[in-house]
Amino acid sequence: MRIRVVESLLSFFLLAFCSCIQDEPLSPEAEITAFLLPEEILFSDQPVINQGRNTIQALVRPGADLSSVAPEVAVNDFSTVSPASGEAVDFSQPVIYTVTSQDRMHTRDYTVRLISMDDEDVYTSLMLNFDFNYWEENPTYHYATPVPQTSTGLTYEVFSTSNQGVALYQQFGSPEGYPTFPLERGDGYAAKLVTREGPGNILGILNIPIVAGSLFTGTMNLLNALRDPLTSTQFGRPFNQEPQRFQGMYNYKAGTGTYIGSDGNPRPGMRDSCAVYAVFYKIDETLETLDGTTIHDHPNIISVAMLPDRSSTPGDELIPFDIPFVRQSDEPVDFSRNEYKLAIVLSSSFWGDRYEGTPGSQLIVDDVKIITQSETPEQDASH
């Protein structure tokens, strides 16, 4: 009798367990989490996935054959994607990738565009000239990021800002609440960067006494933003011409209050200054990207263009800057053997990445340009 009771109980629990498994709802998620292209066709880093706009973009080398490219595509658990991962696709025109959720009731279309650097307008708009007229707002956290745009309306993400890190611990309802935001100027926009008081101690993990507005070419590694802030800024984008001059317009006003050190204590007598500089460097097996710990003194740095006077500017109007790149290394630049990157770095506090500065410091920048060696003397003289 006891055996039958035990058997009955086991049958009951087995049926209940199976029922629970069968009744578990299927996942409605449909998302591309990674999209990898063959390294030999890439001009830039691996493709940029914009989940807010459902776009995937990458810059490809001049002359790259796009008629049959087989990307490796990763999606969230249990969903499927079409075209399939590893399937050869013609990318001479934008391609739609459709992700279907496990429950088969939800789909999400991504537009994938491979942008060839053969196009002179594309190269100039995405690599050399930045007017900060077009910004995209993050739909969840509402911070804005400037996105270069060609004359035909094509956009590509080149810049990152301190806003991405700030959004991890502080959220605002509009772009102006963040330290980097667009400023109306004439018939377009400039970039405004402001140093503000930070949130202080965050869960005993990190003390953030100030947050500086910053804008740089490269990416933000958010996994390191709280654990190791200086390595979270990945400076630079691939660059295939030797830069000669760094130009633009700016206005800077250092904050009038107390300079705050990274430990949160006042530093009497210290005056804030801005960061306006560009760094050209070689990448190799020892270095993939410069970060906050290496941007000023890594041996792979070829040349630097640094604003010589980082103090406040007179008046309220933007004034021009024109800075030569100064060699830091005697090593010849050889694009046939080596690969290089260029980083543009702008901040309302020079040591803002270390959470140092004066609240109230403000930097406005516009019409930033990189003049390269390939330009003729007549072209260079016209800038």
Side-chain angles (χ1 to χ4, degrees):
M1 179 67 178
R2 291 183 62 187
I3 293 176
R4 290 181 180 175
V5 170
V6 171
E7 289 177 344
S8 298
L9 287 173
L10 286 174
S11 298
F12 172 79
F13 284 120
L14 182 61
L15 287 171
F17 179 71
C18 292
S19 177
C20 287
I21 294 177
Q22 293 171 353
D23 292 341
E24 184 177 346
L26 300 178
S27 173
E29 298 297 321
E31 182 176 275
I32 290 179
T33 57
F35 195 94
L36 303 179
L37 293 168
E39 292 285 347
E40 60 268 20
I41 73 168
L42 286 172
F43 177 87
S44 65
D45 300 324
Q46 285 291 342
V48 175
I49 302 176
N50 188 320
Q51 300 290 4
R53 301 184 68 199
N54 293 342
T55 60
I56 300 174
Q57 293 181 310
L59 302 182
V60 296
R61 298 179 187 275
D65 183 5
L66 304 182
S67 63
S68 181
V69 180
E72 295 180 18
V73 186
V75 295
N76 57 289
D77 290 343
F78 309 118
S79 60
T80 58
V81 63
S82 178
S85 179
E87 180 179 339
V89 177
D90 182 356
F91 281 97
S92 56
Q93 297 293 328
V95 176
I96 303 296
Y97 273 71
T98 300
V99 185
T100 303
S101 63
Q102 183 189 23
D103 64 11
R104 315 299 294 177
M105 296 176 63
H106 299 84
T107 61
R108 186 173 180 181
D109 290 337
Y110 289 81
T111 301
V112 182
R113 184 189 300 270
L114 305 190
I115 304 170
S116 175
M117 299 307 286
D118 283 313
D119 190 317
E120 183 177 350
D121 176 39
V122 168
Y123 189 92
T124 300
S125 301
L126 303 186
M127 303 297 294
L128 302 178
N129 297 344
F130 308 107
D131 58 18
F132 305 124
N133 278 337
Y134 179 72
W135 295 65
E136 290 184 355
E137 183 176 334
N138 181 281
T140 303
Y141 300 108
H142 305 295
Y143 61 77
T145 305
V147 180
Q149 187 176 52
T150 70
S151 61
T152 60
L154 179 66
T155 61
Y156 187 79
E157 296 176 33
V158 172
F159 289 97
S160 292
T161 73
S162 54
N163 295 342
Q164 293 168 280
V166 171
L168 293 177
Y169 50 81
Q170 280 184 305
Q171 291 85 47
F172 302 92
S174 67
E176 292 75 19
Y178 289 90
T180 301
F181 55 93
L183 175 71
E184 283 195 59
R185 178 172 177 261
D187 58 354
Y189 291 89
K192 185 169 183 177
L193 297 75
V194 180
T195 300
R196 295 179 170 142
E197 292 186 10
N201 189 286
I202 301 177
L203 301 175
I205 301 174
L206 183 66
N207 183 38
I208 303 180
I210 67 99
V211 289
S214 69
L215 179 63
F216 60 93
T217 55
T219 58
M220 176 76 75
N221 183 344
L222 293 178
L223 294 177
N224 290 354
L226 293 180
R227 181 182 59 190
D228 191 4
L230 287 177
T231 64
S232 67
T233 46
Q234 312 280 288
F235 295 114
R237 291 287 188 181
F239 206 75
N240 66 348
Q241 297 184 43
E242 186 168 0
Q244 297 297 302
R245 308 191 74 83
F246 179 38
Q247 301 177 344
M249 306 284 291
Y250 84 112
N251 183 281
Y252 182 64
K253 294 292 182 288
T256 58
T258 302
Y259 187 97
I260 306 298
S262 58
D263 58 3
N265 295 320
R267 300 286 176 85
M270 287 197 66
R271 187 73 168 168
D272 209 355
S273 61
C274 65
V276 178
Y277 63 92
V279 178
F280 178 62
Y281 65 97
K282 182 180 74 173
I283 60 174
D284 55 26
E285 64 278 0
T286 68
L287 179 73
E288 179 59 31
T289 182
L290 293 176
D291 58 35
T293 67
T294 56
I295 187 67
H296 297 294
D297 56 9
H298 196 279
N300 281 30
I301 293 175
I302 303 295
S303 60
V304 176
M306 177 80 70
L307 188 71
D309 183 359
R310 306 196 304 269
S311 60
S312 298
T313 55
D316 296 325
E317 296 300 315
L318 271 64
I319 61 174
F321 64 84
D322 185 356
I323 315 165
F325 277 82
V326 178
R327 273 286 192 146
Q328 309 294 302
S329 168
D330 294 331
E331 179 182 336
V333 173
D334 187 347
F335 291 102
S336 66
R337 295 187 176 186
N338 304 310
E339 294 184 345
Y340 300 85
K341 286 185 177 182
L342 178 72
I344 295 173
V345 184
L346 309 164
S347 179
S348 53
S349 292
F350 190 85
W351 298 113
D353 56 351
R354 302 180 182 180
Y355 303 125
E356 287 190 25
T358 304
S361 295
Q362 299 185 18
L363 173 66
I364 302 172
V365 288
D366 202 4
D367 296 328
V368 169
K369 297 179 176 65
I370 299 294
I371 307 303
T372 66
Q373 192 176 46
S374 68
E375 292 183 298
T376 64
E378 291 77 12
Q379 287 176 309
D380 190 64
S382 68
H383 289 280

